[in-house]
Amino acid sequence: MVGSIEVDDHRVYSNGRVQNYNGFEEKLDDLRRFLGKGDDDVLRIVSVGAGAWGSVFAALLQDSYGKFRDKVQIRIWRRPGKAVDRATAEHLFEVINSREDVLRRLIRRCAYLKYVEARLGDRTLYADEILKDGFCLNMIETPLCPLKVVTNLQEAVWDADIVVNGLPSTETQEVFEEISKYWKERITMPIIISLAKGIEAELDPAPHIITPTQMINRATGVPIENVLYLGGPNIASEIYNKEYANARICGAEKWRVPLAKFLRQPHFIVWDNSDLVTHEVMGGLKNVYAIGAGMIAALTNESATSKSVYFAHCTSEMIFITHLLAEEPEKLAGPLLADTYVTLLKGRNAWYGQMIAKGELSLDLGDSISGKGTIQGVSAVGAFYQLLSQSSLNVLHPDGKKPVAPVELCPILKMLYKILISREQGVKAILQALRDENLNDPRDRIEIAQSHAFYRPSLLSFLKQA
């Protein structure tokens, strides 16, 4: 890379950061020993899915461990055939020419000419093609390191030791069912790290939540102790640009502890936690309310007062919902609020809410948006609404003391469902939900949750028993 100097086992980057490869090699050797890898047996890591977070995760591993080719192989799978449109190709060309290090790298790799031709409209670029050069289609403005891209799913996963799920929750089940066909003859099961934040709801035999790790376990038969979730309050592009960030890897102690050590970097601190399911569900919950926050920001011309009113109501609903889902919800308050905060500031779900409210995007486009990827909050709105509408989960309403479905105490969630899913209301109706004079004080909702036995173990028990 231009602007860097290699001396022995240290690399000095143009931003002043020094990467000590001796430290990374020691961590790599520790993980290899833990996995029982022999001296001539390469550790194979593959990221399945090339959205922003999946691509950044693979690039972080490549930057840290890619030098040790005789010990580890890091690859990323994405579907072939996704064309880059002309406007994106023009923008990509501008990004390339604004970064001297990237420009020189492409010239050195004899890869620059194709971007010139695409800028002129003389050539069509493809997403898997540009990913090899370090450009994620959902994150063009943040060039990554070159990546080893595989477009054949069987080739990518059949002998992988560690599989990273970088797919949206809405695609996880389908892709891992396909993967399971290639693992029928495996003697040892891989370790799977899921990055997906999203949920689905199932109503039989009782209302309960399905998360991406559960989908993977169901689809592949990989033991749930081999499936982990990694998430935290962060933005993918900022992590790659070495902004300080933290995350938690959740799951069985056997794997989460050595993996936390392997993934930890000076700018990216990874803690470990045993509560796989609840952290995963909370990662999906904050996306719901981020969409509404974006709508409020756009409809009120970024009114700080309106946004703070919305924040009070949406956080009280999230606290209410966590009391239904978790036996010790207070332990989730910090991680949930931190993840919500960063998503409201810069996440794609808040951006989507803004674009819908401004009329720059139509709901008819669906939840897969060019240049952004899947807006996972949309499906999460439907799942949480469906789940919390079940009469079997009824709670007492604070006014009439009559039993009502939990969703009746979540007016923001109800209105988001009517706007995004059933299409009964227009976007401006979110303001109506916020300004309803009959709306309960957010504090009352929290007090209700804290003073009643609201916890419903069945909502997550199907996951924890799996």
Side-chain angles (χ1 to χ4, degrees):
M1 179 183 293
V2 172
S4 66
I5 305 170
E6 290 189 34
V7 181
D8 298 326
D9 284 325
H10 295 74
R11 179 173 290 180
V12 183
Y13 289 88
S14 55
N15 64 5
R17 184 172 61 91
V18 178
Q19 185 160 351
N20 185 332
Y21 274 118
N22 284 328
F24 282 106
E25 186 170 20
E26 181 181 346
K27 291 198 295 182
L28 175 58
D29 288 341
D30 286 346
L31 184 62
R32 283 172 50 82
R33 279 193 293 270
F34 193 80
L35 292 170
K37 306 296 288 186
D39 291 341
D40 299 324
D41 192 3
V42 173
L43 174 64
R44 292 173 173 83
I45 303 174
V46 62
S47 181
V48 175
W53 190 202
S55 297
V56 163
F57 196 84
L60 289 173
L61 293 177
Q62 181 64 31
D63 280 339
S64 299
Y65 299 107
K67 180 180 181 180
F68 310 112
R69 299 182 188 90
D70 58 334
K71 296 183 177 183
V72 65
Q73 177 192 72
I74 300 158
R75 301 191 295 177
I76 185 168
W77 171 83
R78 73 154 294 136
R79 296 180 179 91
K82 174 70 173 177
V84 178
D85 62 52
R86 176 75 181 274
T88 303
E90 291 175 355
H91 182 47
L92 178 54
F93 188 72
E94 293 174 359
V95 171
I96 291 169
N97 286 291
S98 70
R99 289 278 301 269
E100 182 181 344
D101 57 337
V102 176
L103 178 60
R104 289 184 178 276
R105 187 184 77 198
L106 292 174
I107 292 173
R108 192 167 59 246
R109 291 163 58 94
C110 301
Y112 180 65
L113 182 58
K114 65 186 177 187
Y115 295 98
V116 176
E117 293 173 340
R119 166 66 180 82
L120 296 173
D122 296 336
R123 174 176 179 157
T124 299
L125 294 170
Y126 292 91
D128 57 289
E129 177 185 17
I130 66 173
L131 187 60
K132 293 177 183 178
D133 293 324
F135 302 110
C136 170
L137 188 58
N138 295 345
M139 199 176 59
I140 291 296
E141 294 185 354
T142 304
L144 309 174
C145 63
L147 294 170
K148 296 178 178 66
V149 180
V150 183
T151 57
N152 182 294
L153 185 59
Q154 181 177 7
E155 178 188 347
V157 304
W158 75 275
D159 62 347
D161 299 297
I162 298 174
V163 176
V164 178
N165 175 34
L167 297 162
S169 60
T170 49
E171 298 179 21
T172 295
Q173 180 84 25
E174 178 185 354
V175 173
F176 275 86
E177 283 177 355
E178 180 71 19
I179 288 174
S180 69
K181 299 175 185 177
Y182 313 131
W183 286 349
K184 289 181 178 178
E185 306 302 322
R186 288 192 67 136
I187 298 174
T188 59
M189 287 291 104
I191 308 303
I192 300 173
I193 304 172
S194 180
L195 310 178
K197 294 180 177 180
I199 70 155
E200 302 295 330
E202 289 190 353
L203 304 182
D204 294 320
H208 61 281
I209 285 172
I210 299 296
T211 68
T213 58
Q214 173 70 359
M215 296 175 197
I216 292 168
N217 168 254
R218 282 183 172 186
T220 63
V222 172
I224 197 66
E225 58 265 25
N226 281 37
V227 187
L228 302 100
Y229 165 73
L230 185 139
N234 44 60
I235 301 296
S237 61
E238 294 183 350
I239 291 177
Y240 194 73
N241 287 331
K242 312 306 177 191
E243 298 289 341
Y244 178 82
N246 58 65
R248 284 179 177 82
I249 187 164
C250 305
E253 183 176 7
K254 176 182 178 181
W255 298 118
R256 72 174 193 264
V257 173
L259 285 170
K261 178 183 177 183
F262 178 71
L263 297 172
R264 190 175 297 127
Q265 299 187 20
H267 70 282
F268 184 54
I269 305 303
V270 180
W271 299 310
D272 68 276
N273 190 281
S274 62
D275 194 345
L276 166 68
V277 171
T278 315
H279 278 86
E280 196 175 13
V281 172
M282 295 305 104
L285 180 60
K286 54 88 181 179
N287 286 334
V288 168
Y289 293 96
I291 295 178
M295 292 176 176
I296 294 295
L299 293 171
T300 64
N301 196 28
E302 298 288 344
S303 163
T305 300
S306 294
K307 288 193 287 187
S308 67
V309 171
Y310 176 83
F311 191 72
H313 283 291
C314 80
T315 51
S316 72
E317 288 191 19
M318 287 192 289
I319 291 170
F320 177 80
I321 293 170
T322 59
H323 276 74
L324 284 168
L325 299 174
E327 188 171 10
E328 298 178 292
E330 61 279 356
K331 292 184 178 180
L332 299 169
L336 175 58
L337 288 177
D339 209 354
T340 301
Y341 181 65
V342 75
T343 304
L344 300 190
L345 286 176
K346 205 173 179 179
R348 76 181 74 175
N349 289 278
W351 171 88
Y352 177 78
Q354 284 187 312
M355 294 300 102
I356 291 293
K358 291 178 179 178
E360 296 180 22
L361 283 178
S362 167
L363 292 174
D364 294 333
L365 294 173
D367 59 2
S368 183
I369 306 300
S370 177
K372 289 290 183 179
T374 301
I375 309 300
Q376 300 201 82
V378 176
S379 63
V381 167
F384 276 109
Y385 179 89
Q386 183 183 30
L387 190 74
L388 300 180
S389 297
Q390 303 306 306
S391 60
S392 61
L393 302 176
N394 277 1
V395 297
L396 288 178
H397 193 282
D399 293 336
K401 301 299 181 182
K402 295 180 180 179
V404 296
V407 75
E408 296 302 322
L409 297 179
C410 300
I412 302 296
L413 174 60
K414 277 185 66 177
M415 189 57 73
L416 287 170
Y417 180 85
K418 291 179 179 180
I419 294 170
L420 297 171
I421 309 299
S422 68
R423 312 279 182 93
E424 299 172 50
Q425 298 283 352
V427 178
K428 290 184 179 179
I430 193 73
L431 295 176
Q432 175 188 331
L434 203 62
R435 298 168 179 171
D436 187 350
E437 64 182 16
N438 297 317
L439 200 64
N440 291 318
D441 184 334
R443 181 173 174 271
D444 294 341
R445 188 179 295 109
I446 296 173
E447 286 186 350
I448 293 168
Q450 292 176 337
S451 61
H452 292 71
F454 269 17
Y455 176 47
R456 300 291 189 272
S458 63
L459 290 173
L460 298 182
S461 64
F462 287 88
L463 297 175
K464 294 180 178 180
Q465 290 169 8

